[in-house]
Amino acid sequence: RFAIALFNRGTPGYWIANRRLELVLLRSLANYKDYQRSALGKGVPGYEHSPQTELAREQGTHQFDYALVSHSGSWRSGRLPELGLGYNTPLTCLAGLGAAANKDAGRSFITCSPDFLLTAIKRAEDDRGLIVRGYETRGQSHRVTMRLPREVRRVQRANLLEEAGEALPVARGRVSFPCRPHEIVTFLLRW
């Protein structure tokens, strides 16, 4: 009925066995032939005659960030993908400009149905709109509704090259679309 999740920033990995969850903080090695092969393949000097790998010793000062999060039920009901992304990409706030910023104070720029997580919002490469990307976190097909900025007039699915595809109807500032389990979806928003 209850569980615990371990979030971290930038550590090499986990060990999970026998009801134990361990966080790997460092992998410090003095003699590792795979580093030598990799360095030689990349043309890094100093590895020609010895597998001694100074870079793999990870000497110096290290800072580790991790968090334990308790929740009830499964990882799905605990909303762990959303919490984990929030832990690894803290919120960045920017000041608005003048009266235009005040009229939408307290309103999210874009919101989505639960179990769909926005991972990117960026200016389109052609400079004529926004690219919005997200993915389904529950592992189950369902319909997602996304509330958009008032100025959005047209929404199209897009590929990773930002080439526009299927147009989706925008009704009352919202667009709805089907999403497969763990599907990554990209949209092109135009004003």
Side-chain angles (χ1 to χ4, degrees):
R1 294 180 19 211
F2 299 97
I4 193 163
L6 175 60
F7 297 155
N8 78 88
R9 292 187 187 115
T11 60
Y14 300 95
W15 289 104
I16 302 172
N18 301 323
R19 300 180 60 117
R20 285 178 56 136
L21 176 59
E22 299 176 2
L23 183 60
V24 178
L25 299 178
L26 291 172
R27 290 190 176 138
S28 184
L29 309 164
N31 188 340
Y32 187 47
K33 292 184 187 299
D34 285 343
Y35 271 98
Q36 181 187 31
R37 272 183 284 220
S38 177
L40 288 172
K42 294 177 183 174
V44 177
Y47 290 93
E48 297 83 5
H49 305 293
S50 170
Q52 296 298 318
T53 54
E54 294 303 316
L55 295 176
R57 291 180 191 243
E58 296 190 5
Q59 295 177 336
T61 302
H62 300 274
Q63 179 177 329
F64 304 100
D65 295 322
Y66 60 92
L68 294 172
V69 178
S70 62
H71 61 93
S72 61
S74 71
W75 62 269
R76 288 182 179 102
S77 62
R79 303 185 59 91
L80 296 182
E82 179 180 335
L83 292 173
L85 182 63
Y87 183 76
N88 277 280
T89 52
L91 182 63
T92 301
C93 297
L94 301 173
L97 301 173
N102 290 333
K103 76 176 182 178
D104 285 328
R107 182 176 189 257
S108 294
F109 186 63
I110 297 176
T111 59
C112 293
S113 303
D115 304 317
F116 186 83
L117 195 55
L118 286 181
T119 57
I121 300 174
K122 70 178 231 25
R123 185 184 309 267
E125 292 296 318
D126 68 6
D127 214 22
R128 294 182 8 229
L130 288 177
I131 295 295
V132 175
R133 183 170 297 123
Y135 70 97
E136 195 283 326
T137 64
R138 185 173 29 179
Q140 299 170 346
S141 293
H142 61 99
R143 192 151 198 87
V144 175
T145 300
M146 187 165 41
R147 189 183 52 73
L148 306 166
R150 292 182 187 99
E151 298 80 11
V152 173
R153 299 290 173 244
R154 192 170 57 167
V155 175
Q156 293 174 276
R157 283 188 179 259
N159 62 21
L160 292 178
L161 298 175
E162 301 184 10
E163 297 167 337
E166 170 194 10
L168 300 173
V170 177
R172 294 188 318 250
R174 289 173 169 70
V175 66
S176 182
F177 57 93
C179 199
R180 296 187 308 269
H182 306 294
E183 181 180 12
I184 300 170
V185 186
T186 304
F187 298 100
L188 175 60
L189 280 54
R190 302 271 192 203
W191 313 119

